Amino acid sequence: MVAGADDAAHEVRLVAGWLDQQPALRTILAEAELAEPGLSLDALVSALRSGGGGIGRRGFRWPSQTEAGRAVLIWGLMRDIAASESAGVDTARVVFDYAHSVSPL
């Protein structure tokens, strides 16, 4: 919430890396994947883009039906942002793109 666009992906990478090193959390996330098999990050990105530009706008529908499914999708989003940051992608652009998609305005 307080990181600038240039630092946000780095912060997400730190959190995702920490989460990935926690056996109990990995177990919970693996179990959550069983709630709705076949969910993909592409489905979330597609829903964000087709939902009127953001979660707060009419038309957005989660491509999941459970909280577990949503956790899996957000975990995928975090890992995608972390991978982009690690690969040296312009993370300010990555964060801007995702933030714009979920902006309530």
Side-chain angles (χ1 to χ4, degrees):
M1 294 293 293
V2 295
D6 292 336
D7 297 325
H10 174 75
E11 297 298 323
V12 169
R13 184 177 60 79
L14 290 176
V15 172
W18 181 83
L19 289 172
D20 208 28
Q21 297 301 311
Q22 306 306 312
L25 293 174
R26 283 195 330 253
T27 299
I28 291 169
L29 288 166
E31 188 173 314
E33 288 179 8
L34 300 175
E36 291 186 66
L39 288 177
S40 72
L41 177 59
D42 291 340
L44 176 60
V45 171
S46 177
L48 288 169
R49 290 188 177 141
S50 66
I55 288 176
R57 297 187 180 162
R58 283 186 300 169
F60 175 81
R61 297 283 185 254
W62 280 95
S64 61
Q65 300 299 314
T66 65
E67 290 297 324
R70 291 174 187 182
V72 169
L73 290 170
I74 295 302
W75 174 235
L77 179 62
M78 289 176 66
R79 292 180 75 188
D80 187 62
I81 291 170
S84 294
E85 201 271 338
S86 291
V89 173
D90 177 4
T91 56
R93 182 80 236 169
V94 171
V95 171
F96 177 79
D97 288 345
Y98 284 119
H100 179 71
S101 294
V102 299
S103 172
L105 298 174

